[in-house]
Amino acid sequence: MTTEALKEAEEARAELDAALTAVGIVLPSLDVDLIAHTDQRPFALVELGRCNITTARALAAALRAGSDPCADS
């Protein structure tokens, strides 16, 4: 894994964490996927991890609230 790919994945994780925190959602397992670090290709994965039912529903509600039904127009 390249240093750039790891840095980009960590930045993406931080951006997602900040956006979720802004709407009151915490994904405790949110992290960069360490297994991807063993891959020879220069990319990384952001692991969303597990969450409880309440958090899953809050996340779904936040996504619905943030969707723009007119975006395709």
Side-chain angles (χ1 to χ4, degrees):
M1 156 135 337
T2 66
T3 302
E4 295 83 22
L6 180 56
K7 181 180 177 187
E8 186 176 359
E10 289 173 343
E11 289 172 355
R13 189 218 58 82
E15 290 173 26
L16 181 57
D17 186 48
L20 290 169
T21 298
V23 294
I25 298 171
V26 175
L27 293 179
S29 300
L30 185 63
D31 205 354
V32 173
D33 185 351
L34 298 176
I35 295 172
H37 293 207
T38 63
D39 198 314
Q40 297 301 314
R41 294 170 285 169
F43 72 93
L45 301 174
V46 175
E47 175 66 46
L48 301 181
R50 301 173 355 168
C51 66
N52 62 32
I53 294 168
T54 301
T55 301
R57 288 187 170 141
L59 180 56
L63 290 169
R64 282 192 299 273
S67 67
D68 183 356
C70 299
D72 294 332
S73 301

